[in-house]
Short mmCIF file of all heavy atoms in Angstrom, two decimals:
data_model
loop_
_atom_site.label_atom_id
_atom_site.label_comp_id
_atom_site.label_asym_id
_atom_site.label_seq_id
_atom_site.Cartn_x
_atom_site.Cartn_y
_atom_site.Cartn_z
N ALA A 160 -8.28 42.24 -2.05
CA ALA A 160 -8.14 43.52 -1.34
C ALA A 160 -6.89 44.25 -1.80
O ALA A 160 -6.92 45.47 -2.04
CB ALA A 160 -8.06 43.25 0.18
N ALA A 161 -5.78 43.53 -1.96
CA ALA A 161 -4.51 44.17 -2.32
C ALA A 161 -4.57 44.73 -3.73
O ALA A 161 -4.17 45.89 -3.97
CB ALA A 161 -3.37 43.16 -2.20
N LEU A 162 -5.09 43.94 -4.68
CA LEU A 162 -5.08 44.40 -6.08
C LEU A 162 -6.13 45.49 -6.31
O LEU A 162 -5.91 46.41 -7.10
CB LEU A 162 -5.28 43.21 -7.04
CG LEU A 162 -4.18 42.13 -6.98
CD1 LEU A 162 -4.40 41.08 -8.08
CD2 LEU A 162 -2.77 42.71 -7.08
N THR A 163 -7.25 45.41 -5.60
CA THR A 163 -8.26 46.47 -5.72
C THR A 163 -7.69 47.80 -5.21
O THR A 163 -7.80 48.84 -5.89
CB THR A 163 -9.54 46.11 -4.91
OG1 THR A 163 -9.95 44.82 -5.31
CG2 THR A 163 -10.66 47.10 -5.13
N ALA A 164 -7.06 47.74 -4.05
CA ALA A 164 -6.48 48.99 -3.48
C ALA A 164 -5.34 49.51 -4.35
O ALA A 164 -5.17 50.72 -4.54
CB ALA A 164 -5.99 48.71 -2.05
N ALA A 165 -4.56 48.57 -4.91
CA ALA A 165 -3.42 48.97 -5.76
C ALA A 165 -3.93 49.69 -7.01
O ALA A 165 -3.38 50.71 -7.43
CB ALA A 165 -2.61 47.74 -6.14
N LYS A 166 -5.00 49.16 -7.60
CA LYS A 166 -5.56 49.78 -8.81
C LYS A 166 -6.17 51.14 -8.52
O LYS A 166 -6.18 52.03 -9.37
CB LYS A 166 -6.61 48.86 -9.43
CG LYS A 166 -6.01 47.89 -10.44
CD LYS A 166 -7.11 47.17 -11.18
CE LYS A 166 -6.58 46.35 -12.32
NZ LYS A 166 -6.21 47.10 -13.50
N LYS A 167 -6.69 51.27 -7.32
CA LYS A 167 -7.27 52.56 -6.92
C LYS A 167 -6.16 53.62 -6.88
O LYS A 167 -6.35 54.75 -7.28
CB LYS A 167 -7.92 52.42 -5.53
CG LYS A 167 -9.26 53.13 -5.44
CD LYS A 167 -9.91 52.89 -4.11
CE LYS A 167 -11.23 52.19 -4.27
NZ LYS A 167 -11.80 51.79 -2.99
N LYS A 168 -4.99 53.21 -6.39
CA LYS A 168 -3.86 54.16 -6.33
C LYS A 168 -3.33 54.52 -7.72
O LYS A 168 -2.88 55.62 -7.95
CB LYS A 168 -2.72 53.55 -5.50
CG LYS A 168 -2.86 53.86 -4.02
CD LYS A 168 -1.55 53.72 -3.31
CE LYS A 168 -0.71 54.99 -3.37
NZ LYS A 168 0.57 54.80 -2.67
N ASN A 169 -3.36 53.53 -8.62
CA ASN A 169 -2.87 53.78 -9.97
C ASN A 169 -3.73 52.99 -10.97
O ASN A 169 -3.49 51.81 -11.21
CB ASN A 169 -1.40 53.36 -10.10
CG ASN A 169 -0.89 53.52 -11.51
OD1 ASN A 169 -1.64 53.88 -12.43
ND2 ASN A 169 0.39 53.26 -11.71
N PRO A 170 -4.75 53.64 -11.54
CA PRO A 170 -5.69 52.94 -12.43
C PRO A 170 -5.03 52.35 -13.67
O PRO A 170 -5.59 51.47 -14.31
CB PRO A 170 -6.70 54.02 -12.81
CG PRO A 170 -6.56 55.07 -11.76
CD PRO A 170 -5.13 55.04 -11.30
N LYS A 171 -3.83 52.82 -14.02
CA LYS A 171 -3.16 52.29 -15.22
C LYS A 171 -2.36 51.02 -14.92
O LYS A 171 -1.84 50.35 -15.81
CB LYS A 171 -2.18 53.33 -15.78
CG LYS A 171 -2.86 54.48 -16.47
CD LYS A 171 -1.84 55.19 -17.34
CE LYS A 171 -2.17 56.66 -17.45
NZ LYS A 171 -1.03 57.51 -17.29
N LEU A 172 -2.28 50.69 -13.63
CA LEU A 172 -1.51 49.54 -13.19
C LEU A 172 -2.02 48.22 -13.81
O LEU A 172 -3.23 48.01 -13.90
CB LEU A 172 -1.64 49.44 -11.67
CG LEU A 172 -0.92 48.31 -10.96
CD1 LEU A 172 0.58 48.58 -10.92
CD2 LEU A 172 -1.45 48.15 -9.53
N ILE A 173 -1.11 47.33 -14.20
CA ILE A 173 -1.50 45.98 -14.61
C ILE A 173 -1.29 45.07 -13.40
O ILE A 173 -0.24 45.12 -12.75
CB ILE A 173 -0.63 45.49 -15.80
CG1 ILE A 173 -0.69 46.44 -16.99
CG2 ILE A 173 -1.05 44.07 -16.20
CD1 ILE A 173 -2.05 46.58 -17.63
N THR A 174 -2.30 44.25 -13.09
CA THR A 174 -2.21 43.38 -11.92
C THR A 174 -2.11 41.92 -12.36
O THR A 174 -2.69 41.53 -13.39
CB THR A 174 -3.43 43.55 -11.01
OG1 THR A 174 -4.61 43.37 -11.80
CG2 THR A 174 -3.45 44.92 -10.35
N HIS A 175 -1.38 41.13 -11.59
CA HIS A 175 -1.19 39.71 -11.92
C HIS A 175 -1.33 38.86 -10.67
O HIS A 175 -0.94 39.28 -9.58
CB HIS A 175 0.21 39.50 -12.52
CG HIS A 175 0.60 38.05 -12.64
ND1 HIS A 175 1.65 37.49 -11.92
CD2 HIS A 175 0.08 37.03 -13.38
CE1 HIS A 175 1.74 36.21 -12.22
NE2 HIS A 175 0.82 35.90 -13.11
N CYS A 176 -1.88 37.66 -10.86
CA CYS A 176 -1.99 36.72 -9.75
C CYS A 176 -1.57 35.32 -10.21
O CYS A 176 -2.10 34.81 -11.20
CB CYS A 176 -3.43 36.70 -9.24
SG CYS A 176 -3.68 35.46 -7.96
N ASP A 177 -0.64 34.73 -9.49
CA ASP A 177 -0.28 33.33 -9.71
C ASP A 177 -1.27 32.51 -8.88
O ASP A 177 -1.15 32.40 -7.66
CB ASP A 177 1.17 33.11 -9.25
CG ASP A 177 1.58 31.64 -9.27
OD1 ASP A 177 0.71 30.78 -9.50
OD2 ASP A 177 2.77 31.36 -9.05
N ALA A 178 -2.27 31.95 -9.57
CA ALA A 178 -3.37 31.27 -8.87
C ALA A 178 -3.22 29.74 -8.92
O ALA A 178 -4.20 29.02 -8.69
CB ALA A 178 -4.70 31.71 -9.47
N VAL A 179 -2.01 29.27 -9.22
CA VAL A 179 -1.79 27.83 -9.44
C VAL A 179 -2.35 26.95 -8.33
O VAL A 179 -3.04 25.96 -8.59
CB VAL A 179 -0.28 27.56 -9.64
CG1 VAL A 179 0.03 26.07 -9.57
CG2 VAL A 179 0.18 28.12 -10.97
N GLN A 180 -2.05 27.29 -7.08
CA GLN A 180 -2.44 26.40 -5.98
C GLN A 180 -3.87 26.67 -5.49
O GLN A 180 -4.34 25.98 -4.58
CB GLN A 180 -1.45 26.50 -4.81
CG GLN A 180 -0.02 26.08 -5.17
CD GLN A 180 0.14 24.56 -5.36
OE1 GLN A 180 -0.77 23.78 -5.11
NE2 GLN A 180 1.32 24.15 -5.81
N GLY A 181 -4.53 27.64 -6.10
CA GLY A 181 -5.92 27.92 -5.73
C GLY A 181 -6.89 27.42 -6.78
O GLY A 181 -8.06 27.16 -6.48
N PHE A 182 -6.41 27.27 -8.02
CA PHE A 182 -7.28 26.94 -9.16
C PHE A 182 -7.98 25.60 -8.94
O PHE A 182 -7.34 24.56 -8.78
CB PHE A 182 -6.43 26.91 -10.43
CG PHE A 182 -7.19 26.60 -11.70
CD1 PHE A 182 -8.37 27.26 -12.00
CD2 PHE A 182 -6.69 25.66 -12.59
CE1 PHE A 182 -9.05 26.99 -13.17
CE2 PHE A 182 -7.37 25.38 -13.77
CZ PHE A 182 -8.55 26.05 -14.07
N LEU A 183 -9.30 25.65 -8.93
CA LEU A 183 -10.15 24.47 -8.73
C LEU A 183 -9.91 23.78 -7.38
O LEU A 183 -10.19 22.61 -7.20
CB LEU A 183 -10.00 23.49 -9.90
CG LEU A 183 -10.62 24.05 -11.21
CD1 LEU A 183 -10.23 23.22 -12.40
CD2 LEU A 183 -12.13 24.18 -11.09
N LYS A 184 -9.37 24.56 -6.44
CA LYS A 184 -9.18 24.06 -5.08
C LYS A 184 -9.89 24.95 -4.07
O LYS A 184 -10.45 24.45 -3.10
CB LYS A 184 -7.69 23.97 -4.76
CG LYS A 184 -7.02 22.99 -5.72
CD LYS A 184 -5.63 22.59 -5.40
CE LYS A 184 -5.22 21.56 -6.46
NZ LYS A 184 -3.94 20.98 -6.26
N ILE A 185 -9.82 26.26 -4.30
CA ILE A 185 -10.65 27.15 -3.51
C ILE A 185 -11.49 27.98 -4.48
O ILE A 185 -11.05 28.27 -5.59
CB ILE A 185 -9.81 28.07 -2.56
CG1 ILE A 185 -8.88 28.99 -3.35
CG2 ILE A 185 -9.03 27.25 -1.55
CD1 ILE A 185 -8.24 30.06 -2.50
N PRO A 186 -12.74 28.30 -4.10
CA PRO A 186 -13.59 29.00 -5.07
C PRO A 186 -13.17 30.45 -5.26
O PRO A 186 -12.93 31.16 -4.30
CB PRO A 186 -14.99 28.92 -4.43
CG PRO A 186 -14.78 28.51 -3.02
CD PRO A 186 -13.39 28.05 -2.81
N PHE A 187 -13.03 30.85 -6.52
CA PHE A 187 -12.79 32.27 -6.83
C PHE A 187 -13.14 32.48 -8.29
O PHE A 187 -13.18 31.52 -9.08
CB PHE A 187 -11.34 32.68 -6.56
CG PHE A 187 -10.35 32.09 -7.53
CD1 PHE A 187 -10.02 32.76 -8.71
CD2 PHE A 187 -9.73 30.87 -7.28
CE1 PHE A 187 -9.12 32.20 -9.62
CE2 PHE A 187 -8.83 30.31 -8.17
CZ PHE A 187 -8.53 30.99 -9.35
N SER A 188 -13.40 33.72 -8.70
CA SER A 188 -13.52 34.02 -10.12
C SER A 188 -12.42 35.01 -10.46
O SER A 188 -12.08 35.87 -9.66
CB SER A 188 -14.90 34.57 -10.45
OG SER A 188 -14.91 35.98 -10.28
N ALA A 189 -11.87 34.85 -11.67
CA ALA A 189 -10.70 35.65 -12.05
C ALA A 189 -11.00 37.14 -11.96
O ALA A 189 -10.18 37.92 -11.47
CB ALA A 189 -10.26 35.27 -13.46
N SER A 190 -12.18 37.56 -12.44
CA SER A 190 -12.44 39.00 -12.47
C SER A 190 -12.66 39.53 -11.05
O SER A 190 -12.31 40.67 -10.74
CB SER A 190 -13.63 39.31 -13.36
OG SER A 190 -14.67 38.42 -13.07
N ASP A 191 -13.20 38.70 -10.19
CA ASP A 191 -13.43 39.11 -8.81
C ASP A 191 -12.11 39.46 -8.09
O ASP A 191 -12.07 40.33 -7.22
CB ASP A 191 -14.13 37.95 -8.08
CG ASP A 191 -14.83 38.42 -6.83
OD1 ASP A 191 -15.39 39.52 -6.88
OD2 ASP A 191 -14.78 37.70 -5.82
N LEU A 192 -11.06 38.79 -8.47
CA LEU A 192 -9.76 39.03 -7.81
C LEU A 192 -9.12 40.34 -8.24
O LEU A 192 -8.10 40.75 -7.69
CB LEU A 192 -8.78 37.89 -8.12
CG LEU A 192 -9.07 36.54 -7.49
CD1 LEU A 192 -8.00 35.53 -7.91
CD2 LEU A 192 -9.11 36.63 -5.97
N GLN A 193 -9.68 40.97 -9.29
CA GLN A 193 -9.09 42.21 -9.85
C GLN A 193 -7.73 41.96 -10.47
O GLN A 193 -6.87 42.85 -10.50
CB GLN A 193 -8.97 43.30 -8.77
CG GLN A 193 -10.30 43.82 -8.28
CD GLN A 193 -11.06 44.55 -9.37
OE1 GLN A 193 -10.49 45.36 -10.09
NE2 GLN A 193 -12.33 44.22 -9.52
N ALA A 194 -7.52 40.73 -10.93
CA ALA A 194 -6.23 40.42 -11.59
C ALA A 194 -6.42 40.55 -13.09
O ALA A 194 -7.25 39.86 -13.68
CB ALA A 194 -5.82 38.99 -11.22
N ASP A 195 -5.63 41.44 -13.72
CA ASP A 195 -5.69 41.57 -15.18
C ASP A 195 -5.10 40.34 -15.83
O ASP A 195 -5.45 39.98 -16.95
CB ASP A 195 -4.88 42.80 -15.63
CG ASP A 195 -5.48 44.08 -15.10
OD1 ASP A 195 -6.72 44.21 -15.14
OD2 ASP A 195 -4.72 44.94 -14.62
N LEU A 196 -4.15 39.74 -15.14
CA LEU A 196 -3.47 38.56 -15.66
C LEU A 196 -3.50 37.49 -14.58
O LEU A 196 -3.24 37.80 -13.41
CB LEU A 196 -2.02 38.91 -16.01
CG LEU A 196 -1.84 39.98 -17.08
CD1 LEU A 196 -0.40 40.51 -17.08
CD2 LEU A 196 -2.19 39.43 -18.46
N LEU A 197 -3.78 36.27 -14.96
CA LEU A 197 -3.93 35.22 -13.95
C LEU A 197 -3.36 33.90 -14.50
O LEU A 197 -3.68 33.50 -15.61
CB LEU A 197 -5.40 35.07 -13.58
CG LEU A 197 -5.67 34.10 -12.45
CD1 LEU A 197 -6.51 34.79 -11.36
CD2 LEU A 197 -6.39 32.88 -12.95
N THR A 198 -2.51 33.29 -13.66
CA THR A 198 -1.78 32.09 -14.08
C THR A 198 -2.39 30.83 -13.48
O THR A 198 -2.66 30.79 -12.28
CB THR A 198 -0.33 32.21 -13.55
OG1 THR A 198 0.32 33.29 -14.23
CG2 THR A 198 0.46 30.93 -13.77
N VAL A 199 -2.57 29.79 -14.33
CA VAL A 199 -2.96 28.48 -13.82
C VAL A 199 -2.13 27.39 -14.51
O VAL A 199 -1.53 27.64 -15.56
CB VAL A 199 -4.48 28.20 -14.03
CG1 VAL A 199 -5.33 29.14 -13.22
CG2 VAL A 199 -4.85 28.26 -15.51
N SER A 200 -2.10 26.22 -13.89
CA SER A 200 -1.27 25.13 -14.42
C SER A 200 -2.11 23.84 -14.48
O SER A 200 -2.95 23.60 -13.60
CB SER A 200 -0.08 24.93 -13.50
OG SER A 200 0.71 23.85 -13.95
N GLY A 201 -1.83 23.01 -15.48
CA GLY A 201 -2.60 21.78 -15.65
C GLY A 201 -2.27 20.69 -14.65
O GLY A 201 -3.16 20.05 -14.09
N HIS A 202 -0.96 20.48 -14.41
CA HIS A 202 -0.61 19.26 -13.66
C HIS A 202 -0.92 19.34 -12.17
O HIS A 202 -0.76 18.35 -11.46
CB HIS A 202 0.85 18.86 -13.92
CG HIS A 202 1.89 19.74 -13.32
ND1 HIS A 202 2.64 19.35 -12.25
CD2 HIS A 202 2.33 20.97 -13.65
CE1 HIS A 202 3.51 20.30 -11.95
NE2 HIS A 202 3.33 21.30 -12.80
N LYS A 203 -1.39 20.49 -11.69
CA LYS A 203 -1.83 20.57 -10.29
C LYS A 203 -3.30 20.20 -10.16
O LYS A 203 -3.82 20.11 -9.06
CB LYS A 203 -1.62 21.98 -9.73
CG LYS A 203 -0.26 22.60 -10.04
CD LYS A 203 0.87 21.98 -9.26
CE LYS A 203 2.18 22.73 -9.55
NZ LYS A 203 3.30 22.26 -8.79
N ILE A 204 -3.98 20.07 -11.31
CA ILE A 204 -5.43 19.74 -11.26
C ILE A 204 -5.73 18.47 -12.05
O ILE A 204 -6.75 18.36 -12.71
CB ILE A 204 -6.29 20.92 -11.76
CG1 ILE A 204 -6.00 21.25 -13.25
CG2 ILE A 204 -6.10 22.18 -10.92
CD1 ILE A 204 -7.24 21.53 -14.04
N HIS A 205 -4.83 17.51 -11.98
CA HIS A 205 -5.05 16.19 -12.59
C HIS A 205 -5.04 16.22 -14.11
O HIS A 205 -5.67 15.38 -14.75
CB HIS A 205 -6.34 15.55 -12.06
CG HIS A 205 -6.33 15.40 -10.56
ND1 HIS A 205 -5.71 14.35 -9.93
CD2 HIS A 205 -6.81 16.20 -9.57
CE1 HIS A 205 -5.85 14.49 -8.62
NE2 HIS A 205 -6.49 15.62 -8.37
N ALA A 206 -4.33 17.20 -14.70
CA ALA A 206 -4.06 17.17 -16.14
C ALA A 206 -2.57 16.79 -16.30
O ALA A 206 -1.91 16.44 -15.32
CB ALA A 206 -4.36 18.52 -16.77
N ALA A 207 -2.07 16.91 -17.52
CA ALA A 207 -0.68 16.49 -17.77
C ALA A 207 0.30 17.62 -17.43
O ALA A 207 -0.09 18.78 -17.33
CB ALA A 207 -0.52 16.10 -19.22
N LYS A 208 1.55 17.28 -17.28
CA LYS A 208 2.60 18.28 -17.10
C LYS A 208 2.88 18.94 -18.46
O LYS A 208 2.71 18.31 -19.49
CB LYS A 208 3.87 17.61 -16.57
CG LYS A 208 3.69 17.12 -15.14
CD LYS A 208 4.59 15.95 -14.83
CE LYS A 208 4.19 15.29 -13.54
NZ LYS A 208 2.88 14.60 -13.62
N GLY A 209 3.29 20.22 -18.41
CA GLY A 209 3.64 20.90 -19.65
C GLY A 209 2.49 21.63 -20.32
O GLY A 209 2.55 21.93 -21.50
N ILE A 210 1.43 21.89 -19.55
CA ILE A 210 0.30 22.68 -20.10
C ILE A 210 -0.22 23.60 -19.00
O ILE A 210 -0.31 23.22 -17.84
CB ILE A 210 -0.82 21.76 -20.66
CG1 ILE A 210 -1.93 22.59 -21.30
CG2 ILE A 210 -1.38 20.83 -19.60
CD1 ILE A 210 -1.55 23.21 -22.62
N GLY A 211 -0.51 24.82 -19.39
CA GLY A 211 -1.05 25.80 -18.43
C GLY A 211 -1.77 26.87 -19.21
O GLY A 211 -1.97 26.75 -20.43
N ALA A 212 -2.18 27.92 -18.52
CA ALA A 212 -2.85 29.00 -19.21
C ALA A 212 -2.57 30.33 -18.52
O ALA A 212 -2.22 30.37 -17.33
CB ALA A 212 -4.37 28.75 -19.24
N LEU A 213 -2.69 31.38 -19.33
CA LEU A 213 -2.66 32.74 -18.78
C LEU A 213 -3.99 33.38 -19.18
O LEU A 213 -4.33 33.41 -20.36
CB LEU A 213 -1.49 33.54 -19.34
CG LEU A 213 -1.38 34.97 -18.80
CD1 LEU A 213 -1.00 34.96 -17.32
CD2 LEU A 213 -0.35 35.78 -19.59
N ARG A 214 -4.72 33.85 -18.19
CA ARG A 214 -5.97 34.54 -18.47
C ARG A 214 -5.68 36.04 -18.47
O ARG A 214 -5.03 36.54 -17.54
CB ARG A 214 -7.00 34.18 -17.38
CG ARG A 214 -8.40 34.62 -17.71
CD ARG A 214 -8.72 36.00 -17.16
NE ARG A 214 -9.86 36.59 -17.85
CZ ARG A 214 -10.46 37.69 -17.47
NH1 ARG A 214 -10.03 38.34 -16.40
NH2 ARG A 214 -11.45 38.17 -18.16
N TYR A 215 -6.16 36.74 -19.52
CA TYR A 215 -5.90 38.18 -19.54
C TYR A 215 -7.20 38.95 -19.67
O TYR A 215 -8.14 38.52 -20.32
CB TYR A 215 -4.92 38.54 -20.68
CG TYR A 215 -5.48 38.31 -22.06
CD1 TYR A 215 -6.05 39.35 -22.79
CD2 TYR A 215 -5.46 37.04 -22.63
CE1 TYR A 215 -6.59 39.13 -24.05
CE2 TYR A 215 -6.00 36.81 -23.88
CZ TYR A 215 -6.54 37.85 -24.59
OH TYR A 215 -7.09 37.62 -25.82
N GLN A 216 -7.23 40.07 -19.02
CA GLN A 216 -8.37 40.98 -19.10
C GLN A 216 -8.35 41.63 -20.47
O GLN A 216 -7.27 42.07 -20.93
CB GLN A 216 -8.23 42.02 -17.99
CG GLN A 216 -9.36 42.98 -17.85
CD GLN A 216 -10.64 42.27 -17.39
OE1 GLN A 216 -10.59 41.36 -16.60
NE2 GLN A 216 -11.77 42.68 -17.96
#
Side-chain angles (χ1 to χ4, degrees):
L162 298 186
T163 307
K166 270 189 172 284
K167 222 176 241 172
K168 272 201 86 180
N169 176 356
K171 286 198 210 135
L172 180 74
I173 304 296
T174 53
H175 169 246
C176 175
D177 173 352
V179 167
Q180 298 287 353
F182 181 48
L183 291 169
K184 298 191 177 184
I185 62 169
F187 70 89
S188 87
S190 46
D191 200 39
L192 290 180
Q193 292 295 314
D195 296 317
L196 299 165
L197 185 127
T198 293
V199 295
S200 178
H202 71 108
K203 314 288 184 177
I204 63 138
H205 303 278
K208 291 153 193 68
I210 184 72
L213 181 68
R214 191 268 160 171
Y215 66 97
Q216 184 66 38

